[in-house]
Amino acid sequence: MNQLNPPAIETDVVIVGAGPAGLFAVFELGLLDIKCHVIDILPRAGGQCSELYPEKPIYDIPGLPIVSGQELTDNLLKQIEPFNPTFHFNEMVETLTSLGTPEKPSFRLTTDAGKVFLAKVVVIAAGGGSFQPKKPPIPTIEQYEGKSVFYAVRRMEDFRDRDVVIVGGGDSALDWTLNLQPVAKSLTLVHRRDAFRAAPHSVSAMQDLVKEGKISFRLGQITTVEGADGQLSSVTLKGNDGVEEKLSCHRMMPFFGLTMKLGPVAEWGLQLNENLIPVDTEKFETSHPGIFAVGDINYYPGKLKLILSGFHEGALAAQKAHRYIYPEKKLLFQYTTSSTNLQKKLGVS
């Protein structure tokens, strides 16, 4: 099979965003026998909850007097296990094309990883937008992005037998330092100070690799990059002492944190209201039939940006999605507490 043109992935629903609203939408859709693929630019589920405040307590989730962002994410993932959603992490939906009609919608979505999806319904649950990497202020770096400068790892093989430079001091920088060290020809971690924001065990493991001579650690910052045709050959390190030196470099990964941007969603032809997506309050459908928006990314009069609001919105969106996916089936509303049919789907009866 030609791997340059992989077959499209067909599914009932594509959910854009794996935060709490997106995860609970999987649950509500699953109860209605609707299959989902979930795409998120982050490397894991949880959205802002797990990326920005995994240990921060949340006090306004019904029935949970106190829960951390990571605990909530873990619980939601456990809740949707019976429905076996497929996750696609480290990917951003770049294009969304409508193929159907208002009565029978269908969509083609493509990601920056080259995947193609065909779906009958799209649920946008992208929070405030997509997390975009903060880019370092290095001249001409754009010429190398996606070729030899990366903000996420798609394939570890791309780094095999290469001179790799990782810049940053957080969890992502340390995690990939540890993961790529075995495959890289050489690996240099660059950080402006010798204090780190990463998990202590990761810092300790990195320091052990430095002591063993398996990686290098340099204090300072990368100021310039060099290479031809988008391929790096070297970078210039300016040390904290002001001294500059060139480092051999074929692959560079800057981890300077994330920022929220609406991103490609703005190009999908949807009506927008100040970078938010207007929806109705009956089914949380956008201006385009078959595309729904739930959670912080949507707008309607009286909207409250609360996780519990996203849960409610996902439940009503699922009801309308069922009509598009099973137009010949009458939807009978059931409670999980009393329906043996739903309990079988959940594996509790």
Side-chain angles (χ1 to χ4, degrees):
M1 183 177 292
N2 185 356
Q3 295 187 1
L4 295 178
N5 295 292
I9 298 169
E10 296 189 33
T11 183
D12 294 331
V13 177
V14 165
I15 298 177
V16 182
L23 295 178
F24 194 68
V26 172
F27 179 81
E28 289 294 329
L29 291 163
L31 290 176
L32 304 180
D33 296 321
I34 297 172
K35 300 297 183 183
C36 302
H37 281 247
V38 186
I39 305 171
D40 200 294
I41 195 171
L42 294 173
R44 63 189 69 86
Q48 295 183 51
C49 275
S50 60
E51 198 67 22
L52 300 184
Y53 45 90
E55 298 181 359
K56 184 178 179 181
I58 305 171
Y59 300 101
D60 59 0
I61 303 299
L64 297 173
I66 179 172
V67 64
S68 72
Q70 191 58 54
E71 287 171 340
L72 178 60
T73 298
D74 292 342
N75 285 339
L76 286 165
L77 286 170
K78 184 174 180 58
Q79 190 173 32
I80 64 177
E81 278 181 1
F83 305 120
N84 297 311
T86 303
F87 288 95
H88 305 266
F89 294 122
N90 288 315
E91 293 189 45
M92 179 172 64
V93 178
E94 288 191 324
T95 67
L96 187 157
T97 305
S98 178
L99 304 177
T101 65
E103 296 75 25
K104 191 176 181 180
S106 66
F107 304 94
R108 182 180 188 270
L109 303 93
T110 65
T111 74
D112 59 350
K115 290 180 186 173
V116 178
F117 295 82
L118 296 175
K120 299 173 183 175
V121 165
V122 175
V123 177
I124 303 172
S130 61
F131 284 95
Q132 302 285 323
K134 294 180 181 177
K135 300 182 179 182
I138 300 174
T140 72
I141 194 170
E142 295 84 3
Q143 300 175 19
Y144 302 92
E145 290 174 347
K147 299 176 182 177
S148 55
V149 172
F150 301 95
Y151 300 99
V153 176
R154 305 265 185 239
R155 292 185 344 118
M156 289 183 63
E157 283 300 307
D158 292 337
F159 298 82
R160 184 172 294 280
D161 299 326
R162 304 284 189 171
D163 293 325
V164 178
V165 173
I166 293 178
V167 189
D171 282 312
S172 293
L174 271 292
D175 286 348
W176 284 115
T177 294
L178 300 177
N179 286 323
L180 291 176
Q181 181 274 322
V183 303
K185 177 182 177 183
S186 73
L187 193 147
T188 302
L189 175 65
V190 176
H191 190 39
R192 63 186 185 278
R193 52 198 177 94
D194 57 5
F196 299 89
R197 305 181 311 280
H201 69 272
S202 297
V203 176
S204 177
M206 179 274 294
Q207 291 170 337
D208 287 343
L209 291 174
V210 172
K211 291 175 184 176
E212 296 166 8
K214 294 182 177 179
I215 67 170
S216 297
F217 172 63
R218 302 294 182 88
L219 286 169
Q221 55 188 337
I222 303 300
T223 55
T224 61
V225 294
E226 294 181 26
D229 300 322
Q231 296 299 322
L232 286 172
S233 58
S234 66
V235 298
T236 300
L237 168 71
K238 183 177 182 179
N240 287 355
D241 56 4
V243 177
E244 293 188 344
E245 65 173 309
K246 279 192 177 182
L247 303 176
S248 176
C249 177
H250 303 123
R251 298 285 185 267
M252 185 171 75
M253 299 191 69
F255 290 110
F256 286 15
L258 300 165
T259 185
M260 294 292 290
K261 292 184 179 179
L262 190 58
V265 175
E267 309 300 323
W268 293 352
L270 300 173
Q271 180 184 345
L272 298 176
N273 182 326
E274 296 183 355
N275 283 334
L276 297 173
I277 304 174
V279 293
D280 61 56
T281 53
E282 176 190 356
K283 50 194 181 298
F284 298 94
E285 199 164 18
T286 69
S287 58
H288 195 297
I291 303 178
F292 301 81
V294 299
D296 287 357
I297 202 164
N298 73 15
Y299 168 78
Y300 52 88
K303 166 73 178 186
L304 293 177
K305 289 192 175 184
L306 296 171
I307 294 173
L308 63 90
S309 299
F311 293 165
H312 159 75
E313 294 158 9
L316 291 186
Q319 300 289 305
K320 180 59 184 290
H322 184 274
R323 296 185 205 172
Y324 289 133
I325 293 163
Y326 298 115
E328 307 303 321
K329 286 187 181 180
K330 182 177 181 180
L331 180 58
L332 177 65
F333 180 72
Q334 303 174 79
Y335 294 103
T336 57
T337 50
S338 56
S339 168
T340 55
N341 178 40
L342 294 182
Q343 289 169 7
K344 285 180 181 177
K345 294 176 186 179
L346 296 171
V348 295
S349 69

